Amino acid sequence: MKNLITSFIFCFLFGECFPQAGEWTWIKGDSIPNQAGSYGVQGVPSPTNNPPSLYEPCEWTDLNGNFWLFGGGNLTVRNDLWKFNPLFNEWTWMKGSGMPYDSGSFGIQGVPSPTNNPPALSWAMASWTDNIGNLWMFGGTNSNGTGGVQNALWKYNISSNEWTWMKGSDSLSPVGFYGIQGISAPTNNPSGRNESAAAWTDDTGDLWLFGGNYFNTNNGISYNLNDLWRYNISSNQWTWIKGSEFQNQAGTYGVMGVENIINTPEARMVYSHWKDVDGNLWLFGGRDTDVIFFNDFWKYNINSNNWAWMGGDSSGNAISIYGTKCLPSFNNMPGARFENRAEWKDQSGNFWFFGGGDGIGGSFSNLWNDLWQYCFATNKWIWINGDNISNPLGNWGTLGTSSPTNKPNGRGGAVGWSDNNGHFYMFGGTNLNGGYNDLWKFTVDITCGVCPTSTSIQENNFNNELLVFPNPTNSSITISFQSSSNQTIELRIYNTLGKQIYLEKAAITAGKYEKEINVKKLSDGIYFLQVKMKEGNINRKVIINH
């Protein structure tokens, strides 16, 4: 009886009992929409504290593993700053007025103050954590009812609990000053924007920003951007790096998987983003002004200053190809969507995202609760969890208790974090009934959707070494490897949709085997060579560039 009471107290205080791999656990907040939250006392954590229901706030993870949340809207728009401690399962209201539509206090640019506060902001501000743990925020839609966007850059110092207005204007819908591409200057500033969810901190500590939506309060014109910017913290200067200074620009896709100086994603807003183990910047999906939804996948190489289109459809509005849960496939591909900002990178460097939506006329009509994993080393997507239909109902289950039937409902505009143990957390967002303040935890199942590492791909779990050269190629490839026995092998080539386009069987003898394959008739792009033999399959990525 004593042990039972102890377990109950633990579950009550920490909101989580025996989470199981591959399962969602509802750990905080409410299961019904449009909640007012419970603020408690500013600066004091409490198990009863909860933010209100919020749509498109922004989020950070600090260097101690705590989660942070600012702003967001639903029935109102806020300027409150919240901290969540995943070890104690407690929220703390840290800054802000606690009142809707607060106008904030900019103070003096560059000067921190305990009275400084950003105004109430929503619609996907860009956010970063720098290398020394400060929290940064850019843009968003102001709360004053006009829908005006901002280009103010803010820094929050955790230790002093102070905001600093660092750069940009305190006015609504300011136009940008681009300067000369590639050259930093104190007068450079991105234009005001919201829905600019793709923001990265590079390995040197610079902050990067791509695209988003500009809304002009004077004429009601709204347009999307595809400009890429870098902000240097030490010089307090922006640099326009890539993309156009003009509105609603079309993309240049080039050859899938191949970097090119002219490649550029189409202008868009609200997408998923990641940084890979090599420091490259990635984005997925989004929406343009004409209500075309994307599922294209892009990588930006900081060192070469080039974009590469890595997957997905180049024409928009593609449907999802789910395949089988937990099984990677070249055929699998998430469908076109936006507001899927709840994304994560796991401890093996693979990318994940949840949900999002699409719709006609800019409003949501289809919302999703699917959870996807991208295997970085093999360029394969895996459907991990959730439904393959739009607008699915959720099942919250019992607060703090995981279950295979638990699942969030379809929603967009949620945000996500990961803890030091590799668990994923998701907060808020909206569906057709309104906004939410529920906090979910997902425990990764390492047996579902196993992604090999780059090392394991190269070694293929056995000792045969396959050489493919030249690679990239414009005419033919030669394969070479050592066979340990006499056997019959199969040589296959697949395109990125998983369609087999080449098959040859060959009887080989023990020893070195070489074979030249003519690929002149294949279009430029990424292909996958598979050698099927009794020891197992060897896989290699082949790039054709005529």
Side-chain angles (χ1 to χ4, degrees):
M1 183 65 179
K2 181 178 180 181
N3 290 336
L4 180 62
I5 293 173
T6 301
S7 298
F8 175 78
I9 293 172
F10 179 87
C11 294
F12 177 77
L13 290 177
F14 294 95
E16 184 180 348
C17 298
F18 312 114
Q20 299 297 310
E23 294 180 1
W24 284 104
T25 306
W26 167 40
I27 62 172
K28 292 287 284 185
D30 298 279
S31 60
I32 56 177
N34 305 324
Q35 297 300 296
S38 177
Y39 281 71
V41 179
Q42 194 168 83
V44 180
S46 170
T48 61
N49 289 351
N50 276 303
S53 298
L54 295 173
Y55 162 67
E56 290 199 319
C58 68
E59 82 291 344
W60 306 266
T61 303
D62 69 27
L63 300 185
N64 294 318
N66 298 304
F67 309 151
W68 294 76
L69 184 74
F70 176 86
N74 183 37
L75 301 178
T76 61
V77 182
R78 305 276 180 170
N79 74 336
D80 303 312
L81 180 68
W82 291 84
K83 180 177 76 170
F84 179 77
N85 186 319
L87 295 177
F88 293 96
N89 196 40
E90 289 182 344
W91 284 105
T92 306
W93 170 37
M94 297 295 297
K95 290 280 282 187
S97 68
M99 301 298 293
Y101 306 115
D102 190 276
S103 59
S105 176
F106 281 75
I108 300 171
Q109 194 169 89
V111 179
S113 170
T115 61
N116 289 351
N117 269 305
L121 295 169
S122 186
W123 289 17
M125 298 74 73
S127 59
W128 307 263
T129 303
D130 69 24
N131 289 347
I132 60 174
N134 297 307
L135 312 182
W136 294 75
M137 180 178 69
F138 173 87
T141 297
N142 190 271
S143 68
N144 66 357
T146 66
V149 292
Q150 299 210 294
N151 76 339
L153 179 68
W154 290 87
K155 179 178 73 172
Y156 174 75
N157 184 297
I158 295 175
S159 60
S160 67
N161 191 31
E162 292 180 345
W163 284 103
T164 306
W165 170 34
M166 296 296 297
K167 197 79 173 167
S169 173
D170 59 355
S171 64
L172 294 178
S173 301
V175 297
F177 185 81
Y178 284 73
I180 301 171
Q181 194 169 80
I183 305 297
S184 64
T187 55
N188 290 353
N189 269 305
S191 60
R193 65 192 69 192
N194 58 19
E195 312 286 21
S196 52
W200 308 264
T201 305
D202 68 23
D203 292 339
T204 66
D206 287 343
L207 313 181
W208 293 75
L209 171 74
F210 171 83
N213 177 261
Y214 174 85
F215 181 75
N216 189 316
T217 58
N218 295 320
N219 55 24
I221 292 177
S222 174
Y223 56 80
N224 284 338
L225 298 157
N226 74 341
D227 46 355
L228 181 68
W229 290 82
R230 181 183 67 213
Y231 173 78
N232 183 282
I233 294 174
S234 60
S235 68
N236 190 33
Q237 292 184 7
W238 285 103
T239 305
W240 169 36
I241 298 294
K242 294 279 282 187
S244 176
E245 60 186 303
F246 300 111
Q247 64 194 46
N248 298 333
Q249 295 297 294
T252 301
Y253 283 77
V255 179
M256 187 180 289
V258 179
E259 293 182 14
N260 193 297
I261 193 171
I262 66 173
N263 289 352
T264 305
E266 186 165 337
R268 67 190 64 204
M269 59 181 180
V270 205
Y271 19 75
S272 297
H273 67 288
W274 306 268
K275 186 177 77 171
D276 68 27
V277 294
D278 299 317
N280 300 304
L281 314 180
W282 294 68
L283 66 85
F284 169 85
R287 196 200 95 183
D288 75 356
T289 306
D290 295 325
V291 199
I292 300 297
F293 298 89
F294 300 108
N295 76 334
D296 50 353
F297 203 34
W298 289 85
K299 178 180 72 172
Y300 173 74
N301 185 324
I302 292 176
N303 295 322
S304 66
N305 190 30
N306 288 328
W307 285 103
W309 168 40
M310 299 302 295
D313 195 287
S314 61
S315 59
N317 293 337
I319 63 172
S320 295
I321 302 175
Y322 283 89
T324 303
K325 278 185 180 178
C326 298
L327 294 182
S329 171
F330 291 124
N331 291 322
N332 294 349
M333 193 70 204
R337 64 190 70 198
F338 78 139
E339 296 200 6
N340 52 327
R341 181 171 175 162
E343 82 264 311
W344 308 269
K345 184 170 71 173
D346 67 26
Q347 293 180 320
S348 298
N350 301 303
F351 307 153
W352 298 65
F353 79 83
F354 170 89
D358 60 33
I360 299 172
S363 61
F364 285 128
S365 57
N366 298 307
L367 288 156
W368 312 93
N369 74 342
D370 45 357
L371 180 65
W372 288 87
Q373 179 187 18
Y374 173 75
C375 291
F376 173 73
T378 59
N379 193 32
K380 293 180 181 179
W381 285 96
I382 309 170
W383 173 34
I384 296 293
N385 194 281
D387 298 285
N388 60 358
I389 59 172
S390 63
N391 304 317
L393 299 176
N395 182 34
W396 281 256
T398 302
L399 187 68
T401 303
S402 72
S403 168
T405 61
N406 288 353
K407 58 181 180 179
N409 53 3
R411 63 181 74 183
V415 293
W417 307 268
S418 58
D419 66 19
N420 293 331
N421 296 314
H423 304 305
F424 302 152
Y425 294 74
M426 185 186 70
F427 172 86
T430 191
N431 77 349
L432 304 180
N433 297 316
Y436 286 84
N437 74 338
D438 50 350
L439 181 65
W440 292 81
K441 178 179 179 180
F442 183 79
T443 303
V444 175
D445 182 356
I446 61 173
T447 66
C448 171
V450 178
C451 286
T453 64
S454 57
T455 302
S456 65
I457 293 169
Q458 184 177 3
E459 295 176 352
N460 286 281
N461 297 319
F462 59 95
N463 292 325
N464 286 323
E465 179 67 21
L466 172 66
L467 301 178
V468 180
F469 55 92
N471 192 13
T473 183
N474 61 8
S475 59
S476 66
I477 55 172
T478 298
I479 63 172
S480 175
F481 64 91
Q482 293 285 336
S483 174
S484 60
S485 63
N486 299 341
Q487 58 179 301
T488 298
I489 65 170
E490 293 183 1
L491 306 177
R492 301 173 184 265
I493 296 178
Y494 296 87
N495 63 19
T496 55
L497 298 177
K499 181 180 179 181
Q500 180 181 293
I501 57 177
Y502 177 88
L503 170 64
E504 181 178 349
K505 296 183 180 181
I508 66 174
T509 59
K512 185 177 181 180
Y513 175 78
E514 284 193 352
K515 169 70 177 179
E516 184 179 13
I517 301 175
N518 190 323
V519 295
K520 286 183 178 179
K521 294 183 179 180
L522 298 182
S523 301
D524 288 357
I526 293 179
Y527 296 85
F528 299 91
L529 170 71
Q530 182 182 84
V531 180
K532 186 175 183 180
M533 50 201 310
K534 69 179 184 180
E535 294 95 335
N537 297 337
I538 313 176
N539 302 292
R540 290 290 185 272
K541 181 165 69 174
V542 176
I543 298 175
I544 298 176
N545 189 8
H546 294 298

